[in-house]
Amino acid sequence: MPDAERRRRSASIRFSPAESLDLAVAAGAAGLTLSAYLRARVLGHQVRGPVPELNRNAYSELARTTANLNQIAAHLNGGGAYSDDLRRLLESAARETRGLRLALLGISEDRPS
């Protein structure tokens, strides 16, 4: 770290035991040390926790579904006709969307709701 960016100053703040616990929990939920959490908050930075795996997986699934829908839109906007290939793409997009919606609710497609 360049000398100009080194952290040399400190501030002392007193917290009640309840406040201290609340801050430690919030820092842990954000995946940060207490020091990093407090620094971010004091400097006005938005503090977010780690993105849950379900959300990362949903993001990836939505990307695939979006790609399929873009292919369908390009085909139809280019004057293409409805075909078996297009039907399969639409069915695939519908399946992926249904599966994603169920996963977000914690329901497996194999399991009756």
Side-chain angles (χ1 to χ4, degrees):
M1 178 181 287
D3 199 41
E5 293 180 24
R6 292 195 103 149
R7 293 187 178 104
R8 297 181 187 162
R9 308 263 184 198
S10 66
S12 178
I13 304 172
R14 296 181 189 275
F15 297 105
S16 71
E19 291 170 332
S20 182
L21 179 61
D22 288 346
L23 289 168
V25 168
L32 298 171
T33 63
L34 181 58
S35 214
Y37 178 79
L38 289 172
R39 185 180 310 107
R41 292 294 307 265
V42 166
L43 295 175
H45 300 283
Q46 201 169 27
V47 177
R48 295 187 180 136
V51 177
E53 184 178 351
L54 176 63
N55 292 26
R56 287 192 305 273
N57 292 341
Y59 184 86
S60 296
E61 281 192 43
L62 280 174
R64 283 192 298 277
T65 302
T66 300
N68 285 342
L69 292 173
N70 282 335
Q71 288 177 14
I72 292 166
H75 174 76
L76 293 174
N77 287 335
Y82 188 79
S83 64
D84 285 342
D85 287 341
L86 182 58
R87 180 184 51 76
R88 282 191 289 277
L89 278 173
L90 284 169
E91 288 171 354
S92 173
R95 262 192 318 279
E96 290 173 15
T97 303
R98 183 174 42 257
L100 175 59
R101 291 179 71 205
L102 291 173
L104 290 172
L105 296 174
I107 301 170
S108 168
E109 284 194 79
D110 303 334
R111 190 180 98 204
S113 50

